Amino acid sequence: MPITNQRVTAHRFLGGLYEDDYFPDHVVDRGREILLRLCARVEADRPAGPAELYALTHAATEEFNELEAAFEEAGSEIETTAREEIGEAFWFVAVAYGFPDADPEELIAPREW
């Protein structure tokens, strides 16, 4: 399902990580794909409230948990810069889809990074 939210389609997810050589683009690409899949799920499922949104963001956060191993294999890790960039991306998604009052920490509550 193609993403229809124009704020999302115009947004450069994880841009700061692409600009930093410490983070390998091929792994950042996988993170960007996780976020785009999250957006597609939000559009398909149309969460009625924060609880439904959190269920979707938690699933995506768990995908990032699994992606951490790929960062490590590539000589990188999800450290402070990456954590902030990823957290901001989840917040962007929440706001773009009408949830400006979502709790930024709850969006990524199951994170292991």
Side-chain angles (χ1 to χ4, degrees):
M1 172 178 172
I3 295 170
T4 60
N5 183 309
Q6 293 194 351
R7 285 186 66 195
V8 170
T9 58
H11 186 69
R12 184 172 182 230
F13 282 107
L14 307 178
L17 301 185
Y18 282 111
E19 294 169 7
D20 188 331
D21 290 338
Y22 179 68
F23 303 104
D25 286 354
H26 72 281
V27 181
V28 177
D29 288 345
R30 291 173 57 190
R32 181 179 172 275
E33 290 168 8
I34 292 168
L35 293 164
L36 291 173
R37 280 194 306 274
L38 169 61
C39 292
R41 286 183 202 130
V42 170
E43 289 190 14
D45 296 349
R46 305 229 182 253
E52 293 89 357
L53 175 67
Y54 296 147
L56 298 175
T57 63
H58 289 179
T61 299
E62 297 205 8
E63 289 185 63
F64 269 101
N65 289 344
E66 295 172 14
L67 187 60
E68 187 169 20
F71 274 102
E72 290 173 359
E73 289 172 11
S76 184
E77 66 180 308
I78 298 180
E79 45 74 73
T80 304
T81 299
R83 282 193 298 271
E84 290 175 3
E85 189 83 14
I86 295 165
E88 288 173 11
F90 276 85
W91 174 247
F92 172 83
V93 170
V95 172
Y97 287 103
F99 294 94
D101 296 327
D103 181 338
E105 288 299 317
E106 184 59 34
L107 290 169
I108 54 174
R111 72 179 173 151
E112 297 173 356
W113 27 272

